[in-house]
């Protein structure tokens, strides 16, 4: 069948999807996608996958896509991060039979994306992005889509979107924040940018940002004219968001845990989902928060969830008539509801800081926490300090490692090539050389192989051995005569 494009792709393949679950690392796994689909989601994305790892690692492919193939989980878009056209397309070719489209991540603003040079940190490299999308559009049997963040300037954002459309992008998701707007600095997403992009391109557009309930979805579609709306954090705190309901937290948690029993996933994913669902309740029952953090099995998580349910039911039974939710929440803490991320000033107040520049602290402690003062350390570092009182977090005391000549990772101290093990292995294999420092013996094994092959030929053809002996005797005879 010919590959559908633009509006036809959205209408027929994506079934005119309006309600979309975002690609979320370690959070939009199959079990969560199935839960979201049961409660109104019409289209889901996989978590972001690394194209290079997907291409080289069969286990990564199996664990993140192949084993999760499920007829109920369609339509589905697989998202990759990449910065090399060939790698991106080769990875996409391995994934295209398991999805309805391939998405290129141009929106991740996290530090890991900066270090890996992908996501929103490619948004200035238009030539590279054109080559990636052009090649994918040419080679793939499914459409190519993109998820982007905006520039501060609306005009530049519009030109960016038009460039992607011209290159072959068939659907565009626009997150109305810049790459600098993240964490406590996230702020409000700009629907004006999204509206401008929607008017400037002819392909379908999804909006992302400012979605906490169904009325936000409807208002966003009305104001921007987009084809659909994508939710990330809103969906994590209330998987029934697209149904317009605010169910009891334990109902969603129990349903999710039942799905996980059928479609297992790493325990860290499950724990993270319950932290989101029970977010407001865990501010009340701190002990159970600690138990959820420490539990090592799915059965243990089920037990913590049951205990949380019993505590809430007991609280409901003892509730006084006319009592209202505390902490300024719209609903009682046992009801699924959005979490409004506090800005820097609000976070300072939560932490008891003054609000001055020195007092502004992010979600994790600042890098300047080098003196080991437990009052300044993050919670994780405080736990490490409890386990090892002599531990120091002073960066100046950290051992300095010599870097690999090839990639910059720490090199092996005894490596003959001055490289890390990965780079050394490639070079030693290419040059058929040994590196005792890394235990790589390509040359030695090759010589042993030649010796073994030679001995096998002698065993199979004894005549060769006799000829060799005769030849050796002929050479030795003059020497023997000379000795006499």
């Amino acid at each position: 069948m010919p590959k559908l494009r633009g509006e036809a792709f959205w209408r027929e393949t994506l079934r005119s999807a309006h309600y979309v679950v975002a690609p979320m690392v370690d959070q939009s796994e199959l079990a969560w996608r199935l839960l979201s689909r049961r409660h109104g989601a019409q289209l889901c994305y996989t978590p972001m996958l690394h194209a290079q790892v997907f291409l080289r690692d069969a286990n990564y492919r199996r664990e993140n896509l192949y084993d999760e193939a499920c007829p109920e989980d369609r339509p589905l878009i697989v998202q990759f991060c990449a910065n090399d056209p060939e790698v991106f397309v080769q990875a996409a070719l391995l994934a295209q039979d398991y999805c309805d489209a391939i998405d290129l991540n141009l929106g991740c603003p996290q530090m890991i994306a900066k270090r890996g040079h992908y996501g929103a940190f490619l948004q200035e490299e238009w030539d590279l992005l054109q080559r990636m999308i052009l090649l994918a559009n040419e080679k793939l049997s499914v459409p190519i889509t993109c998820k982007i963040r905006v520039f501060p300037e609306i005009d530049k954002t519009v030109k960016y979107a038009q460039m992607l459309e011209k290159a072959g992008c068939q659907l565009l998701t626009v997150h109305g924040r810049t790459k600098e707007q993240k964490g406590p600095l996230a702020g409000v997403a700009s629907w004006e940018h999204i509206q401008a992009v929607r008017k400037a391109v002819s392909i379908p557009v999804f909006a992302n940002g400012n979605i906490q309930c169904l009325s936000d979805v409807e208002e966003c579609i009305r104001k921007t004219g987009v084809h659909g709306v994508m939710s990330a954090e809103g969906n994590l705190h209330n998987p029934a968001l697209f149904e317009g309901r605010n169910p009891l937290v334990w109902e969603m948690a129990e349903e999710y845990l039942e799905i996980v029993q059928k479609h297992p996933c790493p325990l860290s994913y499950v724990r993270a989902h319950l932290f989101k669902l029970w977010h407001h309740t865990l501010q009340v029952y701190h002990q159970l928060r600690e138990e959820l953090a420490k539990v090592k099995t799915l059965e243990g998580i089920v037990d913590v969830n049951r205990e949380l349910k019993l505590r809430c039911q007991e609280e409901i039974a003892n509730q006084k008539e006319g009592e209202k939710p505390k902490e300024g929440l719209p609903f009682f803490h046992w009801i699924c509801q959005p979490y409004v991320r506090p800005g820097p000033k609000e976070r300072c107040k939560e932490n008891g800081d003054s609000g001055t520049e020195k007092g502004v602290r992010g979600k994790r402690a600042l890098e300047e926490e080098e003196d080991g003062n437990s009052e300044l350390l993050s919670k994780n570092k405080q736990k490490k300090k409890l386990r090892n009182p002599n531990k120091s977090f002073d960066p100046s005391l950290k051992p300095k490692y010599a870097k690999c000549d090839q990639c910059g990772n720490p090199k092996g101290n005894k490596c003959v090539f001055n490289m890390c093990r990965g780079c050394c292995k490639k070079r030693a294999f290419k040059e058929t050389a040994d590196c005792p420092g890394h235990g790589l013996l390509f040359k030695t094994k090759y010589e042993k192989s030649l010796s073994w092959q030679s001995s096998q030929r002698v065993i199979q053809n004894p005549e060769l051995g006799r000829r060799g002996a005769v030849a050796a005797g002929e050479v030795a005879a003059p020497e023997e005569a000379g000795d006499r």
Side-chain angles (χ1 to χ4, degrees), residues 159-270:
K159 290 177 182 177
Y160 181 41
Q162 289 174 329
M163 177 274 293
L164 296 172
E165 178 186 19
K166 188 176 180 182
C169 176
Q170 302 302 320
L171 183 146
L172 196 61
T173 300
V174 184
H175 187 161
R177 293 184 175 92
T178 65
K179 71 176 185 292
E180 291 75 26
Q181 289 181 275
K182 58 183 180 180
L185 302 177
V188 178
S190 170
W191 286 357
E192 289 78 14
H193 282 71
I194 299 172
Q195 182 185 38
V197 170
R198 172 66 190 99
K199 290 180 178 178
V201 299
S202 58
I203 56 176
V205 175
F206 289 158
N208 185 208
N210 302 348
I211 305 302
Q212 296 182 344
C213 56
L214 185 60
S215 61
D216 292 335
V217 174
E218 294 165 348
E219 184 182 2
C220 183
I221 292 175
R222 180 173 56 81
K223 285 189 174 181
T224 63
V226 293
H227 294 70
V229 171
M230 177 183 285
S231 174
E233 286 206 12
N235 164 262
L236 290 176
H237 287 277
N238 180 11
L241 181 151
F242 291 127
E243 285 183 323
R245 293 196 307 119
N246 294 89
L248 295 167
V249 172
W250 64 77
E251 289 181 3
M252 293 293 97
E254 288 174 347
E255 189 174 351
Y256 170 66
L257 291 171
E258 286 176 8
I259 297 174
V260 171
Q261 300 277 5
K262 298 178 183 177
H263 302 280
C265 63
L267 200 68
S268 60
Y269 299 6
V270 182

Side-chain angles (χ1 to χ4, degrees), residues 58-259:
N59 288 332
Y60 185 81
R61 293 196 293 273
R62 188 179 66 252
E63 292 168 3
N64 289 280
L65 186 62
Y66 296 172
D67 284 354
E68 291 197 345
C70 176
E72 305 166 55
D73 189 34
R74 302 296 282 268
L76 177 69
I77 296 180
V78 172
Q79 187 188 71
F80 285 109
C81 68
N83 55 24
D84 181 286
E86 286 293 339
V87 170
F88 174 53
V89 171
Q90 291 303 315
L93 286 169
L94 293 173
Q96 65 179 1
D97 293 338
Y98 297 84
C99 62
D100 299 288
I102 299 293
D103 187 78
L104 176 60
N105 182 333
L106 301 176
C108 182
Q110 304 302 327
M111 185 55 67
I112 191 172
K114 185 176 182 179
R115 294 193 191 107
H117 193 54
Y118 58 80
F121 298 92
L122 294 178
Q123 66 179 14
E124 296 285 359
E125 301 186 34
W126 292 15
D127 288 341
L128 172 62
L129 297 181
Q130 280 181 316
R131 285 188 281 117
M132 292 178 74
I133 297 166
L134 280 167
L135 187 62
N137 193 41
E138 175 189 344
K139 299 288 186 181
L140 300 181
S141 62
V142 296
I144 176 75
T145 69
C146 297
K147 184 173 186 289
I148 66 171
R149 285 197 168 221
V150 301
F151 291 96
E153 308 85 7
I154 290 181
D155 289 347
K156 188 173 182 180
T157 304
V158 166
K159 290 177 182 177
Y160 181 41
Q162 289 174 329
M163 177 274 293
L164 296 172
E165 178 186 19
K166 188 176 180 182
C169 176
Q170 302 302 320
L171 183 146
L172 196 61
T173 300
V174 184
H175 187 161
R177 293 184 175 92
T178 65
K179 71 176 185 292
E180 291 75 26
Q181 289 181 275
K182 58 183 180 180
L185 302 177
V188 178
S190 170
W191 286 357
E192 289 78 14
H193 282 71
I194 299 172
Q195 182 185 38
V197 170
R198 172 66 190 99
K199 290 180 178 178
V201 299
S202 58
I203 56 176
V205 175
F206 289 158
N208 185 208
N210 302 348
I211 305 302
Q212 296 182 344
C213 56
L214 185 60
S215 61
D216 292 335
V217 174
E218 294 165 348
E219 184 182 2
C220 183
I221 292 175
R222 180 173 56 81
K223 285 189 174 181
T224 63
V226 293
H227 294 70
V229 171
M230 177 183 285
S231 174
E233 286 206 12
N235 164 262
L236 290 176
H237 287 277
N238 180 11
L241 181 151
F242 291 127
E243 285 183 323
R245 293 196 307 119
N246 294 89
L248 295 167
V249 172
W250 64 77
E251 289 181 3
M252 293 293 97
E254 288 174 347
E255 189 174 351
Y256 170 66
L257 291 171
E258 286 176 8
I259 297 174

Side-chain angles (χ1 to χ4, degrees), residues 264-443:
C265 63
L267 200 68
S268 60
Y269 299 6
V270 182
R271 184 187 288 109
H273 279 302
L274 262 67
F275 269 120
K276 294 284 187 182
L277 286 170
W278 285 109
H279 174 84
H280 299 292
T281 299
L282 291 172
Q283 310 307 309
V284 179
Y285 302 115
H286 299 288
Q287 183 184 352
L288 291 175
R289 180 184 181 85
E290 293 298 321
E291 289 185 23
L292 181 58
K294 293 176 182 177
V295 70
K296 301 294 185 184
T297 64
L298 183 62
E299 292 73 19
I301 288 181
V302 171
D303 290 341
V304 174
N305 185 69
R306 187 182 299 112
E307 182 61 27
L308 282 163
K309 174 183 176 180
L310 291 173
R311 296 277 185 97
C312 290
Q313 288 177 331
E314 183 179 347
E315 193 174 335
I316 292 170
N318 296 328
Q319 195 174 3
K320 297 177 182 178
E321 189 175 350
E323 189 175 341
K324 294 183 179 180
K326 299 176 182 178
E327 303 297 331
L329 297 177
F331 305 103
F332 290 102
H333 61 78
W334 54 80
I335 294 175
C336 289
Q337 57 193 295
Y339 165 61
V340 180
R341 189 189 297 274
K345 291 183 179 179
E346 290 85 348
R347 192 172 291 278
C348 287
K349 292 175 183 176
E350 285 182 1
N351 294 338
D353 294 323
S354 62
T356 62
E357 287 188 9
K358 291 183 179 179
V360 174
R361 298 166 56 79
K363 189 172 183 179
R364 293 173 178 82
L366 298 175
E367 293 297 327
E368 286 80 6
E369 297 165 347
E370 55 189 44
D371 58 358
N373 187 340
S374 62
E375 293 182 0
L376 295 176
L377 294 177
S378 64
K379 288 183 178 179
N380 282 337
K381 288 181 179 179
Q382 288 180 40
K383 289 177 183 176
K384 291 178 182 178
K385 193 79 174 173
L386 284 172
R387 290 195 293 268
N388 181 7
N390 297 321
K391 188 171 183 64
S392 173
F393 298 100
D394 187 345
S396 64
L397 299 179
K398 289 184 178 179
K400 302 294 182 184
Y401 296 102
K403 292 185 177 180
C404 169
D405 293 344
Q406 191 74 21
C407 68
N409 287 328
K411 73 171 186 178
N413 291 331
K414 298 180 181 179
C415 177
V416 298
F417 298 118
N418 292 318
M419 291 180 173
C420 65
R421 194 177 196 284
C423 295
C424 175
K425 187 175 182 180
K426 291 177 183 177
R427 181 166 173 180
F429 177 78
K430 186 177 180 180
E431 299 181 7
T432 317
D434 286 351
C435 177
H438 280 124
L440 302 173
L441 304 173
F442 291 109
K443 181 181 178 181

